[in-house]
Amino acid sequence: MSRNEEFKEILQKRLTEKRYIHSLNVAESARELAKQYGADEEKAFTAGLIHDSCKDTPAGLQLSYMLENGVELSDIEINTPKLYHAMCGKVFAQKEFGIEDEDLLNSIRYHTTGRKSMSLLEKVVFIADFISAERDYNGVEIMREKAARSLDEAIVEGLGFTIKDLVDRERVVHPDTIDAYNDAVSKIQTGEIK
Ligand code: FE
Ligand code: FE
């Protein structure tokens, strides 16, 4: 059995059916984006598959798992349980799935917040999560069009969407998300990326 097949068996037990389907779809989208933009297709598929592996685990268990494994959390991170699953997912991928590839681990770690100077793989996973087949939020078609045209334009759109949504709901915006947004916008403005 391939590694991905093993991961699927584990995920099917850990996740709700809805989230499991989302994970399969993000894996497919990530592989397609990787193919289009020249990232590693295998890594992208695996990262997409396991990116939400902790998301259906109760927040308290995620937190204790992270603390047991030496994850250092900022005050904002401790106070924002919605962010746990990305950080928890990275540790889970290392410990339970035996993944050592730093870039793959970072693509899980930063799939929710983004961060400054994201790698190609990090961008692919971040965007795949927005455009996976089952997504039907208002604006998903614009995201899909942008993703087809320019990964970096899609990153700006996705981060902007995230920030607007959080502000609308008066939720905390993680500094990494602001950094990621400023970084992506200024790189496009200076023509460093298109
Ligand atoms: Fe997630
Ligand atoms: Fe997700």
Side-chain angles (χ1 to χ4, degrees), residues 57-168:
T57 304
L61 287 180
Q62 291 188 58
L63 184 59
S64 51
Y65 183 73
M66 285 191 280
L67 296 176
E68 274 164 29
N69 286 289
V71 176
E72 286 179 25
L73 297 142
S74 69
D75 286 347
I76 282 187
E77 286 161 352
I78 290 173
N79 293 325
T80 316
K82 281 259 176 210
L83 297 177
Y84 291 178
H85 81 282
M87 299 179 288
C88 188
K90 180 203 169 183
V91 180
F92 194 84
Q94 277 174 306
K95 302 230 348 161
E96 320 299 325
F97 294 147
I99 289 175
E100 292 172 355
D101 186 277
E102 272 305 310
D103 196 21
L104 204 165
L105 293 170
N106 284 332
S107 71
I108 297 168
R109 167 71 181 79
Y110 296 103
H111 85 265
T112 309
T113 56
R115 65 164 170 169
K116 192 172 188 241
S117 302
M118 291 166 82
S119 74
L120 181 59
L121 186 69
E122 286 172 43
K123 290 177 190 174
V124 161
V125 175
F126 185 88
I127 295 305
D129 199 15
F130 272 93
I131 63 169
S132 54
E134 85 294 345
R135 293 284 197 199
D136 62 356
Y137 58 87
N138 225 330
V140 69
E141 285 313 322
I142 295 170
M143 274 302 296
R144 291 195 173 114
E145 281 165 28
K146 295 219 173 186
R149 202 168 49 224
S150 155
L151 194 59
D152 289 301
E153 267 187 45
I155 286 282
V156 170
E157 179 78 17
L159 289 164
F161 182 91
T162 300
I163 292 168
K164 278 183 268 185
D165 177 61
L166 290 168
V167 171
D168 280 348

Side-chain angles (χ1 to χ4, degrees), residues 19 22 26 51-52 55 85 111 129 135:
R19 184 99 52 213
H22 165 70
V26 174
H51 78 289
D52 273 343
K55 196 156 181 178
H85 81 282
H111 85 265
D129 199 15
R135 293 284 197 199

Side-chain angles (χ1 to χ4, degrees), residues 1 3-27 45-57 85 88-89 92-93 96-97 99 108:
M1 189 159 57
R3 297 290 284 138
N4 287 333
E5 293 307 311
E6 279 174 49
F7 298 160
K8 283 182 196 173
E9 278 199 359
I10 294 167
L11 290 171
Q12 210 162 5
K13 290 183 200 130
R14 289 180 61 78
L15 300 177
T16 61
E17 195 189 353
K18 196 176 161 214
R19 184 99 52 213
Y20 179 66
I21 291 167
H22 165 70
S23 302
L24 296 177
N25 288 341
V26 174
F45 184 89
T46 298
L49 184 64
I50 67 177
H51 78 289
D52 273 343
S53 59
C54 290
K55 196 156 181 178
D56 291 328
T57 304
H85 81 282
C88 188
F92 194 84
E96 320 299 325
F97 294 147
I99 289 175
I108 297 168

